[in-house]
Amino acid sequence: MKKYRNIIIALTCGFVLGSSVATVQASSILGKIFKGGAVGAVVNVAAEPLNKGINTLTQKYGVGTTDATKVVPIISVGDGSRAGAAQVSGPIDKVNQCKAALLIEQTILGIRAKILLPVDNINYKNINRVQGVGVCASLDVKI
């Protein structure tokens, strides 16, 4: 299993970035549920390589951080589906409290807003915002 680790990580990252997502009809609720669950599973498996990749990229452009970072799934308000991944950043004790990033989409004064908040639970009905932590990157696939 150890020799297949890099292959699994590469395939997982490709899936998260949308290059290996199977086509599902937009009206297929089961397809959306399957893809949402798959994205959540992929994020859990690929969190560390994705985190290292984002940190390497930001360092390359001279905008890295000295704060702790980690990649967590993005959950969407309304149905709690997992829609991608986000990197959170802040003090290590606060970052360790983060389990997901909550995505709230709303139109405000005719402008579409996408709000990402670091939260302490993947169950959107029982979450708290983690103060002192910010979302610094997001990765998503169309569900």
Side-chain angles (χ1 to χ4, degrees):
M1 186 67 178
K2 198 171 190 175
K3 70 180 185 177
Y4 296 114
R5 183 175 185 268
N6 289 338
I7 294 170
I8 292 169
I9 290 171
L11 289 173
T12 302
C13 291
F15 180 81
V16 169
L17 297 174
S19 63
S20 50
V21 176
T23 303
V24 177
Q25 292 181 359
S27 63
S28 171
I29 293 173
L30 289 177
K32 289 181 181 181
I33 292 169
F34 173 75
K35 284 172 108 178
V39 169
V42 167
V43 170
N44 289 337
V45 170
E48 190 58 34
L50 287 171
N51 190 52
K52 286 180 182 178
I54 292 166
N55 289 340
T56 299
L57 187 61
T58 57
Q59 287 291 341
K60 175 182 174 183
Y61 288 97
V63 290
T65 183
T66 57
D67 287 340
T69 60
K70 84 174 184 181
V71 170
V72 295
I74 294 174
I75 55 173
S76 184
V77 168
D79 61 6
S81 65
R82 297 178 187 196
Q87 185 187 55
V88 294
S89 176
I92 188 128
D93 59 323
K94 299 287 187 175
V95 167
N96 287 338
Q97 293 176 24
C98 292
K99 303 298 182 222
L102 177 66
L103 172 63
I104 304 170
E105 294 186 77
Q106 184 73 47
T107 300
I108 304 170
L109 301 173
I111 299 171
R112 183 175 172 211
K114 293 175 85 172
I115 303 161
L116 282 168
L117 305 169
V119 294
D120 65 352
N121 197 329
I122 60 169
N123 180 352
Y124 75 97
K125 293 180 181 179
N126 186 28
I127 60 170
N128 298 295
R129 183 175 185 167
V130 179
Q131 300 293 334
V133 175
V135 176
C136 54
S138 70
L139 303 111
D140 60 29
V141 295
K142 187 175 181 180
I143 295 180

